[in-house]
Amino acid sequence: MLSVTNLTAGYRRDHDVLTRISITLTPGRIVGVQGPSGCGKSTLIRVLALLHPPRSGDLRLDGETVRRFRYAAPAAQRRRVGVVFQHPRAAADPRHTLRRIVSAHLPAGAPGTETDRLAELVGLTPDLLDRRPHEVSDGQLQRACLARTLGADPRYLLCDEMTAMLDASSAAALVHLIKAQVEHHGRGALMVSHDSALLDACCDETVQWHDLGGPPAAPTGR
Amino acid sequence: MTAPPLLRVEELSVRFRLREMVVRAVTDVSFELRPGRLLALVGESGCGKSVLASTVLGLLPGNAEIRGSVRLYGNSARGGASSPSSASGPPDGLELLTASERTLARHVRGRRIALVPQSAATALTPVRTARSQLVETLRELRPDIGDRHREADRLAGRVGLEPAALDRYPHELSGGMAQRVVLALALAADPDVIIADEPTSGLDRPLVERTVDTLRELAGDGRAVLLITHDIAAAERVATDLAVMYASRIVEQGPASEVFDDPWHPYTRGLLEATPARGFRPLPGHPPSLSALPPGCAFRPRCSQRDTCTGDPALVPVAPGRALSCARLPEEGRGARGPLTGSEPIGERSC
Ligand SMILES: Nc1ncnc2c1ncn2[C@@H]1O[C@H](COP(=O)(O)OP(=O)(O)OP(=O)(O)O)[C@@H](O)[C@H]1O
Ligand SMILES: [Mg+2]
């Protein structure tokens, strides 16, 4: 299980983005979290992915309490949690080819065919693999980012508005892929989105942001 | 009567030469952007929508080969003090594909045609507040404005941002706020033509609606808007016209309500049925590779009708205002309908 209890987190010293949030991911299940833009969904993902240290709260990964974050987190823990971010441009090194991006988290010594298999899985045609990010579309880059994440064989998969860059058909294809990954590889997935129709179509259970235990959503400046 | 177009794209094709392959990103694309109208462009990820937008603004990389024509015309519908440059100009328009970089930079980009680029939020300068970026843009594009901070606040209001949000740094803005900052930047010079590439991706419904409603209002004020979007519901909400793109070509085009109510191309139908609300069924097969397109109709390998089809991909008018690129023209589409004008501005529509 990947769970967090009473999580409080933020960026500025005088302002909490998340207050006393609790959520649990179980292998073999997809949990959806629905919330408005700017409510803090991405911050929750960053904490669960060990990328952002919380101010307080108890984060547990398969029975161990997580105490160190970012580069200080043990590699074995980091590998177990994979993330797909909303903006692939911000998540991919512009100097690398897609082949290198897709294979980034494959275990050392994995055969090159593994990269091809991952690319095929997410629907990237082979001709795209020799290109760099500026030579592919945003949606194609997002597919590469998903392939990279799956290459680490993560037990938990965190998807932050993963399909926002995709047309309806591609979004459906990738969400079906996530479902298959959860079923066949026993991964536990979290999908955060504002889109309730999307979450209803793929999650085993959907939670509303305000039911996670925090106060009403932080002001978004609407 | 129908206003003349502000932008006319004719037979536009874009190829990228890449090492040993050629990528056909845009093929024989034609459309017009008219004042008062909002054209939504939808289509599969990677089909060429952003390349099309970059072509119009002269922002393609050096390995691009371009054919066709993109002409920008003066705006007789607006003119006035807000856009002094727009009422003038040659009557046959300015050919953007051959215009110099200097002309594009000084007279077109940001001034007459504004682009809200895809993933724009990630392109904001991280070390400066949203306000300083907006004020800087105003200084450059609108030197006539005295109180730039007030104008910045006004633009913020126009896109639904609290003025106080402008004082944040990009990393302190949520995705939705950053996207609205970028829209405000695009509106700084009060352009005639607005091209918005996925301006609402990742926003929740109320913000999506607010953003696209803003675009539609901007069109209603005599501008022309091209909205590139994956959000079918958003397109349905505000578009007056719709173009559907697949594998570098426009495969169906027409008045938005007509196409949404009665899509003819099998790809359009498949795309509409893939939304979570309507079944969440992906099209069979994979997106095609634009460096190895099959001859004839590129959708054929994935088409439910492929066994009974000859595969001629030319985009032809099939009814007043509607065009289709499919060898199996729907029988009911040929002349059985009443005439459609499909070109009255938003203000005159009865919806
Ligand atoms: N500089 C380039 N060199 C070679 N190919 C390119 C280049 N830029 C884009 N492409 C290719 O051109 C095609 C069209 O890309 P484009 O970014 O226009 O797609 P899109 O329709 O905007 O997709 P999305 O919905 O994912 O944003 C893609 O197949 C892409 O791989
Ligand atoms: Mg694009």
Side-chain angles (χ1 to χ4, degrees):
Chain A
M1 280 194 324
L2 173 60
S3 70
V4 68
T5 353
N6 284 327
L7 167 70
T8 297
Y11 303 94
R12 285 189 173 189
R13 217 170 288 147
D14 53 355
H15 175 68
D16 291 334
V17 178
L18 309 176
T19 338
R20 292 197 305 283
I21 297 275
S22 301
I23 190 166
T24 298
L25 303 187
T26 325
R29 282 176 71 78
I30 307 182
V31 177
V33 171
Q34 196 210 347
S37 294
C39 69
K41 301 187 294 288
S42 301
T43 305
L44 172 62
I45 294 245
R46 292 171 56 77
V47 174
L48 288 174
L50 320 189
L51 292 173
H52 184 79
R55 285 200 231 287
S56 63
D58 187 22
L59 177 60
R60 300 187 130 250
L61 175 56
D62 294 327
E64 291 173 300
T65 297
V66 176
R67 292 180 211 286
R68 284 177 295 161
F69 289 81
R70 311 191 61 169
Y71 295 106
Q77 285 190 345
R78 270 192 286 148
R79 282 187 72 81
R80 247 180 288 166
V81 189
V83 204
V84 186
F85 295 101
Q86 177 182 344
H87 291 293
R89 297 261 165 227
D93 190 320
R95 295 164 304 177
H96 293 172
T97 62
L98 260 60
R99 184 182 306 284
R100 176 148 177 210
I101 292 169
V102 169
S103 61
H105 296 338
L106 282 172
T113 51
E114 261 307 279
T115 310
D116 300 332
R117 189 187 63 83
L118 286 170
E120 155 97 39
L121 199 61
V122 298
L124 284 179
T125 47
D127 59 316
L128 297 173
L129 293 179
D130 295 320
R131 299 195 208 161
R132 292 174 213 283
H134 69 272
E135 295 168 332
V136 300
S137 80
D138 285 40
Q140 289 166 337
L141 192 55
Q142 183 66 311
R143 288 172 187 262
C145 288
L146 174 59
R148 170 179 64 184
T149 301
L150 293 178
D153 190 20
R155 185 170 297 169
Y156 303 98
L157 201 51
L158 313 175
C159 307
D160 188 359
E161 299 279 7
M162 180 191 82
T163 59
M165 286 296 155
L166 300 169
D167 63 280
S169 169
S170 303
L174 291 198
V175 167
H176 287 302
L177 170 62
I178 301 266
K179 280 184 85 148
Q181 287 280 321
V182 165
E183 262 166 47
H184 301 146
H185 301 275
R187 308 192 203 283
L190 174 67
M191 306 255 303
V192 305
S193 176
H194 62 274
D195 186 344
S196 56
L198 170 77
L199 295 176
D200 290 347
C202 65
C203 297
D204 296 299
E205 123 194 49
T206 299
V207 200
Q208 295 301 313
W209 179 257
H210 55 77
D211 291 333
L212 289 179
T220 61
R222 304 210 154 145
Chain B
M1 251 329 282
T2 306
L6 288 171
L7 190 84
R8 176 177 286 146
V9 173
E10 270 174 311
E11 302 278 307
L12 180 69
S13 296
V14 180
R15 309 259 178 282
F16 292 108
R17 213 162 269 287
L18 265 189
R19 294 162 287 273
E20 71 288 358
M21 62 176 92
V22 174
V23 182
R24 299 151 66 91
V26 176
T27 307
D28 286 339
V29 162
S30 302
F31 62 87
E32 289 177 346
L33 300 180
R34 291 175 182 274
R37 306 207 49 97
L38 189 153
L39 171 67
L41 176 63
V42 302
E44 193 163 49
S45 163
C47 72
K49 305 179 296 294
S50 297
V51 169
L52 183 59
S54 300
T55 312
V56 170
L57 285 137
L59 295 173
L60 286 178
N63 66 335
E65 291 168 10
I66 313 170
R67 271 194 306 127
S69 159
V70 178
R71 288 188 168 269
L72 176 66
Y73 299 88
N75 191 354
S76 52
R78 281 174 81 226
S82 62
S83 47
S85 61
S86 74
S88 54
D92 55 344
L94 173 66
E95 173 58 64
L96 299 183
L97 296 185
T98 51
S100 66
E101 171 58 28
R102 188 184 146 96
T103 303
L104 293 175
R106 288 212 174 172
H107 302 293
V108 178
R109 246 182 254 138
R111 297 170 202 264
R112 298 269 339 266
I113 310 179
L115 174 68
V116 182
Q118 190 170 15
S119 303
T122 60
L124 286 171
T125 311
V127 294
R128 294 171 55 197
T129 63
R131 177 179 300 279
S132 104
Q133 299 185 50
L134 193 48
V135 165
E136 171 70 30
T137 302
L138 285 167
R139 178 174 302 132
E140 192 190 321
L141 299 180
R142 301 288 306 274
D144 54 304
I145 288 182
D147 190 343
R148 297 194 187 96
H149 283 270
R150 243 182 74 195
E151 179 63 9
D153 290 345
R154 194 190 66 79
L155 286 166
R158 173 103 232 202
V159 298
L161 271 178
E162 303 282 347
L166 291 182
D167 296 315
R168 301 198 193 183
Y169 288 89
H171 73 272
E172 299 173 325
L173 299 166
S174 72
M177 292 162 88
Q179 251 151 332
R180 279 171 287 157
V181 169
V182 175
L183 182 57
L185 283 167
L187 298 181
D190 195 16
D192 282 331
V193 178
I194 298 166
I195 300 181
D197 193 353
E198 300 291 350
T200 64
S201 69
L203 302 189
D204 60 28
R205 237 344 89 186
L207 277 180
V208 168
E209 294 183 351
R210 180 163 192 162
T211 306
V212 296
D213 288 355
T214 302
L215 289 172
R216 173 137 179 170
E217 278 167 33
L218 290 163
D221 290 344
R223 296 179 191 81
V225 178
L226 174 64
L227 169 63
I228 299 173
T229 187
H230 288 310
D231 189 329
I232 300 287
E236 204 162 356
R237 180 180 173 93
V238 296
T240 56
D241 304 277
L242 183 70
V244 182
M245 200 165 172
Y246 184 82
S248 84
R249 288 176 187 273
I250 290 180
V251 295
E252 179 158 15
Q253 203 168 5
S257 54
E258 294 281 325
V259 182
F260 279 120
D261 287 351
D262 184 16
W264 290 344
H265 199 285
Y267 172 66
T268 313
R269 280 188 233 143
L271 180 66
L272 299 183
E273 271 160 28
T275 59
R278 289 212 222 164
F280 213 39
R281 276 184 301 275
L283 290 160
H286 278 333
S289 161
L290 297 189
S291 57
L293 285 176
C297 173
F299 187 62
R300 196 168 178 193
R302 303 170 80 182
C303 183
S304 55
Q305 323 269 305
R306 64 177 171 274
D307 295 335
T308 54
C309 162
T310 56
D312 174 11
L315 184 72
V316 291
V318 283
R322 287 192 70 168
L324 180 71
S325 153
C326 178
R328 295 185 84 260
L329 302 184
E331 287 69 42
E332 75 271 26
R334 281 189 261 190
R337 278 151 215 279
L340 306 165
T341 58
S343 52
E344 63 276 38
I346 286 172
E348 296 165 29
R349 270 171 47 126
S350 53
C351 68

